[in-house]
Amino acid sequence: MIVGGDHLGKITKKLQYEGIKEIIHVSGRKARMSQKEIPSHVNLDLVLTDFINHEFSAAIKKKANKQNIPIYFSKRSWCSIYAVLEKTEILNNHTKHKKEAFILT
């Protein structure tokens, strides 16, 4: 689940390429969004820090902790998102092999 940002643009396609099958995006613009529960099948929460207010961020963090869902914070840039997701081991290994192949040629 990604929280923050009005539009994700190409980020969703890049995440799908990395093997993430379902992406739930919550912009956080509407006040009622902080009252909703995080769906039970969510594996990870990613909060885009440059597009969310502190109050909503705190509410999401509290709910994620309550449901034992790991929560990570990142800027909206792909480099920042990728760096955070790389630490979670949620990404496919195919990109790692591609990088190795690229270095060898």
Side-chain angles (χ1 to χ4, degrees):
M1 184 166 119
I2 299 177
V3 180
D6 290 332
H7 304 284
L8 296 179
K10 295 181 181 181
I11 292 172
T12 53
K13 287 186 181 186
K14 290 181 178 185
L15 289 171
Q16 289 169 344
Y17 176 76
E18 295 298 335
I20 298 173
K21 294 178 179 144
E22 183 180 356
I23 302 162
I24 300 170
H25 178 238
V26 179
S27 68
R29 290 281 186 187
K30 297 179 183 177
R32 288 187 180 183
M33 288 183 183
S34 64
Q35 297 171 354
K36 291 185 178 183
E37 289 298 317
I38 298 170
S40 61
H41 67 282
V42 169
N43 300 10
L44 175 133
D45 272 348
L46 178 65
V47 178
L48 303 179
T49 56
D50 40 2
F51 290 98
I52 191 167
N53 66 42
H54 292 287
E55 185 178 318
F56 189 67
S57 178
I60 290 293
K61 185 177 179 180
K62 186 176 180 180
K63 288 178 186 198
N65 287 334
K66 182 180 175 184
Q67 293 178 246
N68 293 323
I69 298 171
I71 187 165
Y72 297 91
F73 298 89
S74 170
K75 292 184 179 183
R76 189 181 176 275
S77 73
W78 175 245
C79 294
S80 297
I81 292 170
Y82 188 83
V84 167
L85 293 179
E86 209 171 27
K87 294 175 187 174
T88 68
E89 298 178 7
I90 199 169
L91 300 177
N92 278 343
N93 288 333
H94 69 84
T95 53
K96 186 175 184 180
H97 297 301
K98 270 189 173 177
K99 287 179 187 173
E100 290 171 2
F102 181 74
I103 291 170
L104 293 173
T105 57

